[in-house]
């Protein structure tokens, strides 16, 4: 049994971690910090959680005595804390995802204050880095849009010469966090779909780092709470009938990434750590295919727990076996 | 470890049972029947379920060799099958809920063909009948709207003289099932709210049977998939400041029924077996309070598993520990 | 042709007025103020409006030269401005709706600074006060929830002895305005329904003033943008089969208030000035019936234009003939 | 004043035509047919319409005495009726949109029974064919997805050498019509997004006919009722800073097609005949831009009325001046 320390429990990734960890079979001690809610009852602030826990103030000594620390802080805040941790760390921010310091600083428009840790931190996508994650002290948990796009493109770019890759992502609004904004105002999003960051979303840096190809990426917020449907269009040479086969082969032993014949559905993966990929079709040299994840689970807290399970050598599915809440 | 047999896996209560039972720690053998999908792969018909199971045809011998049989058939079909079962049975239909045969026949407008079993079947609301459920061979799992209303009213009618009780229920559309209808047509329900069965919903019979008082009940379908918010208005004599106290006392040992100060939220119980009750307020002799459940979980398949857990003597929370999927 | 001046064009009632007035056949001059958007292009701030108008700063001289002034300010701000206007005024705030100054001050918890105008201002519900509105200099446009409730109850309380009247209202979130709030945050309202002001909503004062009976009122926000479905439950003596008849008779000459046999739908009145009432049913002494309006049209800006049309002697439907945008 | 005859009033395009035509200033006589609803009251079948009309059976003599006939029949049924009409006709089906009979037959997999009329029928997109529509006897009203895509691409392909054009469309479900289907079942679409016809949607034939370039088109149904957001990605050579300028120039005199700097919103055009285009951005040779229409208005019945107005020489905006119902 293990102790887990969550830094930053007031946002969606923090509460989603609690939802999972409170029922995790290998976790017997859970501490969650939230500065503005210090000493307050978790279940009063978050009535969906059935627990007697109270939020605490950050205590680095206690954090470092824990087996695992999850960092759920905004980027820039994370890189202040992570260097002070000497236990195993899963950082859900963007601060340790980009290996090239200059690239990070260009994209996030801020100086990196812990560049020496950049190469220690393993990019936490188990489908690609499982063996490194096993040994990692720090895991940089991928971005939600990056997870959807990389898993959808990885077998394609490994097996084909793909050009002019368009990733047209549709994301639920919970990816934008808990703070109310003009976009999250119900009358503005309901019966609507909202394009944003048309050509310069920060997650593009992760996609291009991991895939090694140019990615043209445009996200749009759809009027749903959870889920990312990533639509990939690419101009590809080779035998396009075999695309699906390569996906099946690549992911055949994956516990969470599953290949379907039909286009996947964000509803089928809602609340779960699954990534569904499917819908392989092509015409006139274009391939189109789709991935579906829950942005708060496989796109954030579920994948973070998957990474912890791998690091600890537990069943990779422990605590995240839940199937999609559908309908 | 136990074997479980589900009769009728093609509808929402059947697929919800599978979602729960496939991860239930005490169930090692699961069989699911669905006549129209015989031999078809469960995960192809229901992509949110990660399983190699195939649907089977009903086989009474196999059913009776199982430790538990869940019957997920429409009313009238259930009362044809249940008498042929001699193992422990949880029936999700309405056929064994109403103890008075005449009442059943008046409400459902059909002759009861197994009236001798009516009194054997225990009404499966653990909050009231836990000890009977423990010993029951047949459990009649309550209706979803009845569950929401009875849990919301039970402490009130036990502790006060309540008159002119209005139950104004708001239900997600999944309660109406998987078949497409005019009401379930997205353009008809989206941006709408649809009253139905204004004075004669069949679940009223369950409410009045269990509560022993007249209930004036009107349901409305809201544009959400899961969840029932039951609003109770009642004209009550006595010390209205103490209403909340009686609720806390009544449900204090319940693993799933929780009392909140604020009005509960169907989002906080979504995907979970919890029932939240709260919002106790009053003015000019009226009390108003609310209960929130997920109609497919505490209102159907989750409560059915809770009943199985009680019958088997397992931890009542086994397999249904999941907290609300919120947001 | 007439000139119209709108004070406070940055909120929903202001933009909805523009949507209507820009196509009104009798309005040839429109001015709209919005302090924070002074000199800004209306269509850039509000892309659904096709107009070359720019927002202006409030100019009382110009306002008083106009034929009609609409005041779309929060309560308390309205009562500062209205006394300075000497043209015909339609005030959409709450400040002149309650005739009893003490009642207003108790409900709104603020001193009334223009009590001498309270009795000059006519309560702007055409179905009851059409002839007074015709001659009024100041019209106090009713609250949205009050409009739905009063129209739904008026024929009942005039023709029956109704007791224990429960008004259980379900409202779209646009009634809460344009400012982002925790309730309007999409992840909080989507797949949810949110009760609020369980016993003390301020619009109760309008309902009780106009109906002369006690009203027990509880509103709930549903995950839709526009629309109020008002469910009325009342315990009534007399011939309950005739309830619908009295409604037809009361509203028979009304251009916008229509009686249906079935329960009405907020979708059928969306974007329109109609109020639909229907669903008359009863059991054991309870009557249940429903009204449906668009909270921003018949519940606010549409009714305000209807009042202007009456005051001006124009066709009451001018500019607000649009039928419901359904689906 | 004119008489109008609508054939097929039971579907969404028919009811939307009625919603518009019942308030059209130049239409004084309206007849609507619907075989299955013969003699039934329009307002009882469609409560959002305030009219005393009744549905009639098709009467070709009466139709031919009308000034305009709108044909709202499924494809194949339309080409049976149109040859029997000798008045001015606006056909909302696909039967006369594709000029190349072989192409039509290949795409729709049916023999064309009135090929002689194919070249008489003008493709009813006023932004391109206004002068031909003016003189046309038969107008083939464009498909909804085709309208969104052609208006979004037309200035681009006229002014640039665009390659690898991807059109990723997001459409509300009302475009699929009034019949209940698995996709339109609320629990299947709510909290979801559903790709379909991944590479072979029939409207591609219209797009390629009108644009003269290859179009790679994939539509997805979003959980909204009305609206199409068309996302265009294209690889383009030339001065990409000037893209927006060409759009402004092309559409500068258009009453309904408007250019915005920001990405457009389907909410801003909801219920209106406007098409908004905007969001011009580019990186690494890709241009991305968006159009937004209401599929039932500019994508169907509103554009049909716009065509009638042009044919009749009336103000092109008559009857369709309504601005977007936002929020």
């Amino acid at each position: 049994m293990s102790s887990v320390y969550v830094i930053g429990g007031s946002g969606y990734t923090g509460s989603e971690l609690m939802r999972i960890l409170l029922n995790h079979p290998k976790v017997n001690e859970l501490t969650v910090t939230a500065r503005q809610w210090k000493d307050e009852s978790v279940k009063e602030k978050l009535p969906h959680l059935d627990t007697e826990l109270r939020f605490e103030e950050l205590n680095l000594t206690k954090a470092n005595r824990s087996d695992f620390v999850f960092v759920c802080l905004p980027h820039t805040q994370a890189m202040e804390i992570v260097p002070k941790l000497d236990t195993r760390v899963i950082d859900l921010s963007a601060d340790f995802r980009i290996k090239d310091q200059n690239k990070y600083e260009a994209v996030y428009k801020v100086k990196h204050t812990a560049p020496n840790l950049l190469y220690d931190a393993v990019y936490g996508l188990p489908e690609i880095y499982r063996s490194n994650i096993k040994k990692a002290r720090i895991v940089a948990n991928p971005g939600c849009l990056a997870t959807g796009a990389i898993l959808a493109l990885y077998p394609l770019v490994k097996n084909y010469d793909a050009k002019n890759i368009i990733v047209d992502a549709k994301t639920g609004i919970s990816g934008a966090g808990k703070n109310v904004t003009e976009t999250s105002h119900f009358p503005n999003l309901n019966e609507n779909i909202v394009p944003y960051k048309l050509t310069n979303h920060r997650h593009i840096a992760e996609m291009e780092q991991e895939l090694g190809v140019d990615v043209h990426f445009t996200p749009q917020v759809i009027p749903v709470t959870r889920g990312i449907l990533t639509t990939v269009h690419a101009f590809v040479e080779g035998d396009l009938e075999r695309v699906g086969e390569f996906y099946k082969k690549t992911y055949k032993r994956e516990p969470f990434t599953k290949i379907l014949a039909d286009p996947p559905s964000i509803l089928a993966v809602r609340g779960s750590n699954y990534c569904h990929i499917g819908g392989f079709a092509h015409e006139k040299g274009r391939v189109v295919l789709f991935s579906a994840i829950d942005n708060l689970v496989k796109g954030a807290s579920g994948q973070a727990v998957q990474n912890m399970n791998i690091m600890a050598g537990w069943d990779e599915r422990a605590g995240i076996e839940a199937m999609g809440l559908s309908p």
Side-chain angles (χ1 to χ4, degrees), chain A residues 153-195:
Chain A
L153 273 165
Y154 183 68
L156 193 77
V157 302
K158 292 297 160 203
N159 290 286
Y160 290 93
D161 183 23
K163 293 246 167 59
N164 292 338
I165 297 173
I166 303 281
V167 177
D168 188 295
K170 293 85 179 174
T171 178
I173 184 69
S174 63
K178 205 166 182 170
N179 291 329
V180 304
T181 64
E182 285 301 315
T183 302
S184 81
H185 188 49
F186 191 91
N188 291 346
L189 182 55
N190 185 37
E191 294 298 280
N192 207 354
I193 168 169
V194 182

Side-chain angles (χ1 to χ4, degrees), chain A residues 144-154 156-157 163-170 196-199 201 203-204 207-208 211 213-220 228-234 287 289-291:
Chain A
C144 55
L145 291 162
T147 297
I150 296 168
L151 292 176
L153 273 165
Y154 183 68
L156 193 77
V157 302
K163 293 246 167 59
N164 292 338
I165 297 173
I166 303 281
V167 177
D168 188 295
K170 293 85 179 174
Y196 69 107
K197 301 261 178 215
L198 305 187
T199 58
H201 195 286
H203 289 184
I204 297 169
M207 300 173 202
E208 296 189 341
L211 295 167
V213 295
D214 278 357
V215 172
H216 301 275
F217 179 76
T218 300
Q220 286 131 110
I228 296 173
L229 183 80
T230 304
T231 308
V232 166
H233 310 270
V287 166
L289 60 92
F290 307 83
S291 74

